[in-house]
Amino acid sequence: MSLIAEVTGSLGAIGYGLAAIGPGIGIGIIFGQGVQAIARQPEAYGVIRQNMILGFALAEALALIGFVVPFVFGK
Amino acid sequence: MPGDRFPSKDEDRKTADLAWSAVGYLLAGLLFYGGLGWVIGTWLGNREAFTAFGALVGICLSLYLTYVRISQPSSRRNPK
Amino acid sequence: MSHHISTSVHLAMSESADCANQHLMNDLGCGFPAPSAEIFFLEPYATFNLLGMDFTITKTVVLLGLVMVIVLGFFFAAFRAPRLVPSKIQSLGEYAYLFVRDQIAREVIGKDGDRFVPFLATIFFFVWIANLMSVIPGAQFPVMSNLAFPVSLTLIVFLTYLFLGMKHQGPVKFFTNAMFPPGVPKAMYLLLSPLELLQLLVTRPATQAIRLFANMFAGHLLLTTFTVAAWYLVGPNFVGAFGAAASFLVTVVLTGFEMFIQGLQAFIFTLLTAVYISGSLHAEH
C-alpha cells in the first residue's frame, strides 16, 4: 500500500475547521442578502430581520453540530 | 425622521436581544440534551449513538425555541 | 559547503538555541516553527506569596495595570475640572462618553439607559484599551486573550443584570418570565424550560466571555504567525526576499484589520451588556 498523503495530529480541530467553512459562507450570505433586502424595502424591516435571525440560527446549528462531532466520534 | 417607518423601538430591541442569544440557545440545547444522551448512553452502554441523538434533538428543540421567540412579537401585534 | 558549516554549528550549539533562530535557507531540519498556544503562557517577572496566596506577576498583569492607569488618567484629566467651554481633552472625553450614551445606551436600553452610561463607558474603554495593547509596540500582548479577564468582566455584567432583573421583575417572576415563553403548547415547557434556564444562567455569559477571548486569542496568534513567517523566510535569494516582504506586508495589513476587530469586539461586548440589562429591565411579556 502506498501512502500519498497523511494527516496526523488533532484531526478533530481540522475536521471542525472544514465543517465551519459551510456555515461561515452561509451566514455571510444570509446577512449580506438580508441587509440588501432591508435597503431595498425598509418597510419590511421587521419581517426580514426575523427571517434573517432564523436563517442565521439554522446555519449556526450546523457549525455547532460540526463542533460536537469530534467530541462524540473522535478517537 | 427616517426611523419612523420601522417597527416600534421596543419590538426592535426584542429581536436584537434574540439575535445575540440565538447562539446561546443552540449551545444550551446541545449541551443539555447532548449531556442527557451521554448520561443515558453511558448507562445503557452505547454512548456515541445516544450522545449524537441527544445533540440532534437538542439542536431541533433550540431551533423550535428560537422560532417561537422570534414569531412572538408579530403574533402579539395581529390581534389588536 | 555552507551546509557543512551550518551542520557543524548545529552540533556545537544546543538543540533549542538552534531552532530558535531558524530560517528556510539554513537547512537545519527544524521546519517552520509555527507559534502555538504556548505564546500565551508568558515568563513571570516575579512570584511572591502573600497571605497564603501565590501571586505571579506576568506581562499580562503589568499591562492590565497600565490599562487601568491610562483609562483612569484620561478620564480624570478630562473631567477633573469641567468647564462650560471645554478644553481639548475635555471635549475628547465628552465625545467618547457621548458615543457610548448615544450609540449603545439610548439605542439599546432607551429612556432608562442614561443611568447605565457610566457602567457601560467604563466597560467599553477598559476592554478597548486592553485589546489595543495587542498592537502597541513594546506591549504587543492583548490582555483579554487570557480567559480569566473576560470571565471576570462577564461575571460583573452577569451579576448586574441578574440583580436588576430580580429587582425590576421580582425574584421569582424574573425566572418564570424567562422560562415560560408564551405561544408554546403546555407539554413543550417540560422540554424547553431547561434550555431557557441554561441559556440564562450558563451559555449567555459563557458566549459573551468566549466571544471576546477567542477573537483576541486568534488575532494575536494570526499576527504572530505572519511575523514569525517573515522572519523564517528571510534569505539571500528570490524566495527569501519576496516571501519575507510579502509576509511582512500581510502583517502590517493584518495589524490594521486587528485594530478594527479590537474596537468592534469592545463595542460588541458593551452592546451585549446593554442588551442583557435591557432584557432584565423590561419583562419579556
Side-chain angles (χ1 to χ4, degrees):
Chain A
M1 192 185 83
S2 69
L3 217 58
I4 295 170
E6 190 187 12
V7 183
T8 55
S10 51
L11 287 179
I14 294 171
Y16 179 60
L18 292 174
I21 294 173
I25 295 171
I27 290 168
I29 290 175
I30 289 160
F31 280 98
Q33 303 277 327
V35 167
Q36 206 172 41
I38 292 168
R40 284 178 188 218
Q41 216 170 347
E43 59 273 13
Y45 179 65
V47 178
I48 293 169
R49 190 163 167 165
Q50 278 182 20
N51 287 310
M52 222 158 98
I53 294 168
L54 213 58
F56 162 74
L58 278 166
E60 185 65 32
L62 292 178
L64 288 174
I65 288 173
F67 185 69
V68 168
V69 164
F71 286 107
V72 178
F73 296 107
K75 270 279 133 51
Chain B
M1 283 285 285
D4 281 345
R5 281 194 280 178
F6 295 149
S8 74
K9 267 275 181 222
D10 248 19
E11 211 161 276
D12 204 28
R13 267 175 218 128
K14 226 156 272 174
T15 44
D17 190 350
L18 208 90
W20 288 112
S21 34
V23 181
Y25 279 123
L26 288 169
L27 263 178
L30 207 59
L31 286 179
F32 186 75
Y33 287 100
L36 208 66
W38 189 83
V39 169
I40 294 174
T42 312
W43 178 45
L44 290 180
N46 192 352
R47 189 181 286 170
E48 282 162 19
F50 275 96
T51 313
F53 182 70
L56 283 178
V57 168
I59 284 276
C60 290
L61 282 173
S62 330
L63 283 173
Y64 173 66
L65 189 59
T66 316
Y67 173 72
V68 166
R69 283 275 189 193
I70 206 109
S71 50
Q72 186 184 317
S74 57
S75 65
R76 209 164 37 111
R77 201 191 311 152
N78 287 338
K80 285 183 183 174
Chain C
M1 187 61 197
S2 72
H3 180 259
H4 179 73
I5 291 169
S6 65
T7 313
S8 58
V9 169
H10 177 119
L11 290 174
M13 290 197 298
S14 71
E15 192 82 343
S16 60
D18 185 29
C19 282
N21 198 6
Q22 169 70 355
H23 293 290
L24 182 64
M25 299 313 151
N26 56 354
D27 185 22
L28 301 183
C30 292
F32 176 58
S36 65
E38 282 166 30
I39 60 172
F40 292 95
F41 297 100
L42 304 163
E43 285 286 309
Y45 294 145
T47 315
F48 59 90
N49 194 304
L50 191 71
L51 303 170
M53 282 193 290
D54 285 323
F55 286 87
T56 314
I57 305 299
T58 58
K59 195 178 182 179
T60 324
V61 179
V62 174
L63 288 179
L64 190 74
L66 195 65
V67 169
M68 198 178 73
V69 168
I70 290 171
V71 175
L72 265 180
F74 172 72
F75 281 103
F76 191 70
F79 298 120
R80 183 179 37 136
R83 275 173 293 161
L84 203 59
V85 181
S87 60
K88 265 186 190 143
I89 192 158
Q90 189 190 337
S91 54
L92 195 65
E94 278 177 3
Y95 182 78
Y97 189 81
L98 287 182
F99 170 75
V100 175
R101 192 194 72 180
D102 293 340
Q103 297 298 314
I104 300 175
R106 286 194 178 168
E107 187 68 23
V108 176
I109 307 178
K111 296 191 293 292
D112 309 335
D114 281 8
R115 63 195 170 104
F116 296 106
V117 181
F119 180 58
L120 296 173
T122 309
I123 285 183
F124 177 72
F125 289 103
F126 182 73
V127 173
W128 185 39
I129 301 296
N131 287 347
L132 210 59
M133 284 295 157
S134 177
V135 294
I136 290 175
Q140 282 175 327
F141 189 82
V143 177
M144 292 298 160
S145 68
N146 189 332
L147 187 57
F149 297 120
V151 165
S152 317
L153 273 178
T154 312
L155 211 60
I156 296 170
V157 173
F158 175 64
L159 292 177
T160 305
Y161 67 70
L162 216 59
F163 171 74
L164 281 171
M166 287 185 186
K167 191 178 150 201
H168 283 264
Q169 300 179 25
V172 183
K173 255 319 219 160
F174 174 59
F175 288 103
T176 50
N177 276 349
M179 278 171 72
F180 301 109
V184 179
K186 285 274 185 293
M188 285 300 273
Y189 283 131
L190 202 63
L191 293 171
L192 296 182
S193 294
L195 298 190
E196 288 278 8
L197 197 65
L198 205 64
Q199 192 266 344
L200 183 69
L201 295 179
V202 181
T203 56
R204 182 193 273 191
T207 48
Q208 193 186 4
I210 289 170
R211 186 175 284 125
L212 179 60
F213 156 75
N215 272 286
M216 289 307 110
F217 186 92
H220 187 59
L221 205 57
L222 200 65
L223 284 183
T224 316
T225 304
F226 277 99
T227 315
V228 170
W231 176 248
Y232 177 70
L233 287 171
V234 165
N237 57 12
F238 176 74
V239 174
F242 187 74
S247 189
F248 185 73
L249 193 71
V250 171
T251 311
V252 173
V253 172
L254 278 180
T255 304
F257 176 68
E258 205 45 47
M259 283 170 79
F260 167 70
I261 293 289
Q262 285 155 7
L264 190 72
Q265 286 305 321
F267 182 77
I268 285 176
F269 193 89
T270 320
L271 188 78
L272 282 177
T273 306
V275 164
Y276 297 152
I277 286 176
S278 163
S280 290
L281 290 183
H282 316 290
E284 290 282 321
H285 48 92

